[in-house]
Amino acid sequence: MSLAVCADVGSTWTKVGVVDLDGGLLVGSAAAPTTVGTDVLHGLDAAVAAATAGLDGAGRAPWYVCSSAGGGLRLAVVGYEPLVTAQAGRRVGLSAGAHVVHVAAGRLGGADVSALRAARPDVVLLVGGTDGGDADTVTHNATRLARARWRVPVVVAGNVDVRDEVCALLAGAGVPVTAAENVLPRIGVLAPSSARAAIREVFLRHVIGGKRLSRGPRFARLVRAATPDAVLTGVEVLADTVGGDLVVVDVGGATTDVYSVLTPDERADGPGREVAGSLWRARTVEGDLGMRWSAPGVVRAAVEERLLDAAGQEELTAVAALRAADPGFVPSSPGERAVEGRIAALAATVAVRRHARGAATGERSGRDLRGVRLLVGSGGVLRHASAAEAAGVLAAVLGDHAGGWAVPRAARAVVDASYVLAAAGLLAADHPQVARAVLGAHLG
């Protein structure tokens, strides 16, 4: 067999899948704790060894690795107007697999630069002005960063008329800078591809090595993408494979991510169009919803959404605090597994509600998920659950008629039990047909 090793180095667990490139099937898999405390290569090498045990040719297989260890990619967006270029930049950042930690709009002042610095971004996405439009704001903001002796990498994706000037200004002040096409070349037209690729390049070139996850350069050489970026690519390939709208909800220990791919609506170009453009392939990150570090946030959000009454809040508050205090907690009894399912169902339901309402993506009219044909559940809590337990979590999402959003009319639910979305996303560039085959075999 001709094999490829696909690995995701997560904040808690490192997951590995071995793909047969000839047959388009997953032929081996394993997981090991992510060894952030020592060197992430220890956990990665252990997981790869377990996944490839007994497979001929595994020693010659190329490695495709993505990572969200060390907090993943932290992105700040600096734009022109809160509801236009800044919002467009935020949407692009989310689609690039970033956790958007700060958004600033308008001409930066001293306090604004201090707030930006306090957010501790790994990358700054500097946007502003449509092509041929406002040039003063993006130039002013670049000048502010240059004078502040800014050293965090900057991706410039604003008005192309002044892009070279802005890049030269930043580079002359010692700021690592990468140029990209405008994320909003015209009002209502969102163009994420170039900026997304630039953010990916900066993540690989500057961020991974800077997190000091490994003592040598080998890990930085192995990593090809931030994990959410790889997963979104896998989601896009899956949407093309199944030929319809879909949603993926990934319930993690610290965040719950929601991905959706929708069929473009020609009405979006009409008089009521979004001025910041429509992103038909989108991702949102809910940093207060998770199974371990953010478990108390799930309880609070569920109360706010009226998914929990006072008795339910009292019952779950203590167990959520226990999970937050001990992220390595593993349920060992039927009762503990039932609690895991309840927390996961609440996290998934709230996350998809927020995604559909559009608040997290900045869309005024939300995201219309009524035509979704496939709901995919992901995350360790679903992969390690029984079929009935996982089905119950996804049924809660599809049966959520009280959240102020229209649920899918006829959707099939499936769990990414073999963790093939990330693997397919990693393989998509070099082996597109294999990526489609793997997804079709395990999710289609």
Side-chain angles (χ1 to χ4, degrees), residues 77-131:
V77 178
V78 177
Y80 174 41
E81 292 180 336
L83 296 179
V84 187
T85 52
Q87 192 55 250
R90 184 177 189 276
R91 296 182 195 175
V92 169
L94 287 169
S95 78
H99 177 35
V100 180
V101 296
H102 186 75
V103 177
R107 295 164 70 91
L108 294 177
D112 300 313
V113 173
S114 297
L116 178 63
R117 201 183 298 275
R120 299 181 294 106
D122 297 315
V123 182
V124 173
L125 179 61
L126 182 60
V127 297
T130 55
D131 290 346

Side-chain angles (χ1 to χ4, degrees), residues 293-343:
W293 291 272
S294 306
V298 176
V299 177
R300 289 192 294 270
V303 171
E304 292 172 359
E305 293 281 345
R306 299 184 180 180
L307 291 167
L308 276 180
D309 57 18
Q313 179 182 7
E314 182 178 0
E315 179 184 355
L316 289 184
T317 294
V319 294
L322 172 67
R323 284 157 173 76
D326 180 18
F329 172 81
V330 177
S332 58
S333 68
E336 290 174 346
R337 291 175 66 89
V339 170
E340 288 282 284
R342 288 188 65 189
I343 296 174

Side-chain angles (χ1 to χ4, degrees), residues 5-19 26 28-31 64-69 226-232 234 248-252 257 259 376-384 415-427 438-439 442-443:
V5 173
C6 300
D8 168 26
V9 182
S11 57
T12 307
W13 288 90
T14 294
K15 289 81 65 178
V16 174
V18 185
V19 176
L26 195 71
S29 63
Y64 294 79
V65 180
C66 59
S67 175
S68 59
T227 297
D229 189 23
V231 173
L232 180 57
V248 174
V249 56
D250 185 359
V251 185
D257 299 353
Y259 305 78
V376 180
S378 183
V381 64
L382 294 176
R383 286 194 297 277
H384 298 302
V415 174
D416 182 12
S418 301
Y419 206 71
V420 293
L421 280 170
L426 287 166
L427 292 172
V438 169
L439 291 170
H442 293 275
L443 297 179

Side-chain angles (χ1 to χ4, degrees), residues 342-376:
R342 288 188 65 189
I343 296 174
L346 292 171
T349 300
V350 174
V352 176
R353 277 188 181 187
R354 292 175 178 175
H355 186 88
R357 291 172 185 160
T361 57
E363 294 162 297
R364 292 173 300 170
S365 56
R367 297 184 66 75
D368 187 353
L369 305 183
R370 289 174 295 177
V372 165
R373 297 174 54 189
L374 180 65
L375 172 66
V376 180

